[in-house]
């Protein structure tokens, strides 16, 4: 006895409206256009949605509600609907500038999180060229990931700390597009010193099931008690100002007259 096979559902990648050039690709749809279709019912018999980049937390909530009203005809892909990491763990003051999702641990020294970009994020709102996500945005996402991982899994105690970057080395192997993407964190070294702890890590950016990263960032950073870091910074600032004032005085001092 044979059965007719079911047709595969229509599939769309939804991204923020600002990714205009990327939206020229077949199979993509802007957030506003998708909401209109969900509200009016202008939908195929079956629709699968992959949530890409550019949506705010409020837009993600609204999308969830509308899709739930259209279930089971409309569903999310297996990646589901992304969420944002706790704002305090990323050291950002504005929620829209949080670029990573909650972190999951997949090994003793390995962690993963979703890339979750709001199109209004500070490192994107004034720089968007072409179809890909700018490198400066990825670097900030990497910084947020290592900050969240360190705060959540490696720091103990209640004393306030500061993160001081020692070095950053980045490699961009291929474009990272505004589709669903994940970040991986691997702790490479972990050294305690009399003044804080030094971490060295590697962060990778991945699309879909690809094991090879589209981009990688290796960084060394030190976590220092806030009281010590504040004193070090204040001393360095005083020395910098004193040096600049001395240089300025020497440049503007009147030339000594020469007797003839």
């Amino acid at each position: 006895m044979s059965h007719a096979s079911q047709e595969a559902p229509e599939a769309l990648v939804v991204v923020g409206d600002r990714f205009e050039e990327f939206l020229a690709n077949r199979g993509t749809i802007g957030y506003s256009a998708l909401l209109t279709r969900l509200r009016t019912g202008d939908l195929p018999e079956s629709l699968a949605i992959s949530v890409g980049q550019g949506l705010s937390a409020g837009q993600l909530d609204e999308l969830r509600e509308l899709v739930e009203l259209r279930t089971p005809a409309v569903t999310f892909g297996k990646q589901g609907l992304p969420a944002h990491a706790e704002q305090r763990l990323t050291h950002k003051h504005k929620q829209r500038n949080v670029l990573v999702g909650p972190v999951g641990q997949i090994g003793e020294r390995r962690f993963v999180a979703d890339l979750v970009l709001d199109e209004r994020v500070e490192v994107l709102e004034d720089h968007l060229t072409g179809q890909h996500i700018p490198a400066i945005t990825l670097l900030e996402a990497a910084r947020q990931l290592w900050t969240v991982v360190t705060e959540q899994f490696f720091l103990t105690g209640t004393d306030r700390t500061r993160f001081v970057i020692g070095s950053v080395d980045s490699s961009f192997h291929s474009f990272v597009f505004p589709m669903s993407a994940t970040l991986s964190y691997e702790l490479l070294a972990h050294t305690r010193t009399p003044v804080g702890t030094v971490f060295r890590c590697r962060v990778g950016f991945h699309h879909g099931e690809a094991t090879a990263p589209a981009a990688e960032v290796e960084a060394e950073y030190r976590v220092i008690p806030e009281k010590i870091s504040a004193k070090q910074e204040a001393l360095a600032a005083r020395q910098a100002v004193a040096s600049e004032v001395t240089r300025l005085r020497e440049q503007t001092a009147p030339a000594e007259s020469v007797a003839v």
Side-chain angles (χ1 to χ4, degrees), residues 154-165:
F154 297 133
L155 297 187
T156 58
T158 57
D159 292 340
R160 296 174 64 90
T161 59
R162 289 186 181 179
F163 285 55
V164 180
I165 297 174

Side-chain angles (χ1 to χ4, degrees), residues 104-112 149 153-154 184-191 198-202:
Q105 186 168 8
I106 58 173
E108 183 180 355
R109 294 188 166 206
R110 298 178 63 229
F111 306 83
V112 294
V149 169
F153 296 95
F154 297 133
S184 60
Y185 173 104
E186 181 182 1
L187 179 63
L188 303 177
H190 177 220
T191 307
V198 177
F199 295 85
R200 190 162 59 86
C201 72
R202 180 187 296 118

Side-chain angles (χ1 to χ4, degrees), residues 55-97:
L55 279 62
S56 69
Q59 289 173 329
L60 290 171
D61 288 341
E62 187 173 17
L63 182 60
R64 178 190 293 106
E65 292 174 0
L66 289 173
V67 168
E68 287 176 353
L69 291 175
R70 298 291 180 179
T71 301
V74 182
T75 58
F76 292 115
K78 70 175 185 178
Q79 297 93 346
L81 198 65
H84 291 84
E86 288 186 57
Q87 185 177 330
R88 64 177 182 84
L89 296 177
T90 64
H91 296 184
K92 302 303 295 183
H93 294 294
K94 296 181 179 179
Q95 199 277 335
R96 72 183 186 189
N97 291 327

Side-chain angles (χ1 to χ4, degrees), residues 34-169:
L34 178 60
L35 251 64
T36 297
R37 292 184 61 178
L38 288 170
R39 286 168 176 161
T40 61
D42 179 18
L43 299 164
E45 184 176 339
S46 181
L47 174 64
I49 300 171
S50 175
V51 181
Q53 306 301 326
L55 279 62
S56 69
Q59 289 173 329
L60 290 171
D61 288 341
E62 187 173 17
L63 182 60
R64 178 190 293 106
E65 292 174 0
L66 289 173
V67 168
E68 287 176 353
L69 291 175
R70 298 291 180 179
T71 301
V74 182
T75 58
F76 292 115
K78 70 175 185 178
Q79 297 93 346
L81 198 65
H84 291 84
E86 288 186 57
Q87 185 177 330
R88 64 177 182 84
L89 296 177
T90 64
H91 296 184
K92 302 303 295 183
H93 294 294
K94 296 181 179 179
Q95 199 277 335
R96 72 183 186 189
N97 291 327
V98 174
L99 305 183
V100 297
V103 171
Q105 186 168 8
I106 58 173
E108 183 180 355
R109 294 188 166 206
R110 298 178 63 229
F111 306 83
V112 294
D114 288 329
L115 180 67
V116 192
L117 294 185
D118 184 324
E119 64 184 9
R120 304 167 301 163
V121 64
E122 58 188 351
V123 285
L124 187 64
E125 65 176 354
D126 197 35
H127 178 69
L128 184 58
T129 304
Q131 302 189 41
H132 65 283
I133 297 170
I136 189 65
T137 307
L138 300 180
L139 289 171
E140 169 58 15
R143 185 204 66 78
Q144 289 190 20
L145 179 63
W146 78 57
T147 302
V148 173
V149 169
T150 307
E151 287 276 15
Q152 189 171 346
F153 296 95
F154 297 133
L155 297 187
T156 58
T158 57
D159 292 340
R160 296 174 64 90
T161 59
R162 289 186 181 179
F163 285 55
V164 180
I165 297 174
S167 65
V168 175
D169 183 15

Side-chain angles (χ1 to χ4, degrees), residues 164-227:
V164 180
I165 297 174
S167 65
V168 175
D169 183 15
S170 55
S171 301
F172 301 94
H173 309 297
S174 59
F175 291 119
V176 177
F177 292 111
M179 303 184 297
S180 62
T182 57
L183 294 84
S184 60
Y185 173 104
E186 181 182 1
L187 179 63
L188 303 177
H190 177 220
T191 307
R192 297 187 183 278
T193 73
V195 183
T197 304
V198 177
F199 295 85
R200 190 162 59 86
C201 72
R202 180 187 296 118
V203 174
F205 292 81
H206 307 264
H207 270 317
E209 303 297 329
T211 55
E216 290 181 290
V217 178
E218 287 197 18
E220 182 177 281
Y221 56 97
R222 183 186 299 268
V223 181
I224 306 173
E226 186 175 64
K227 292 180 180 179

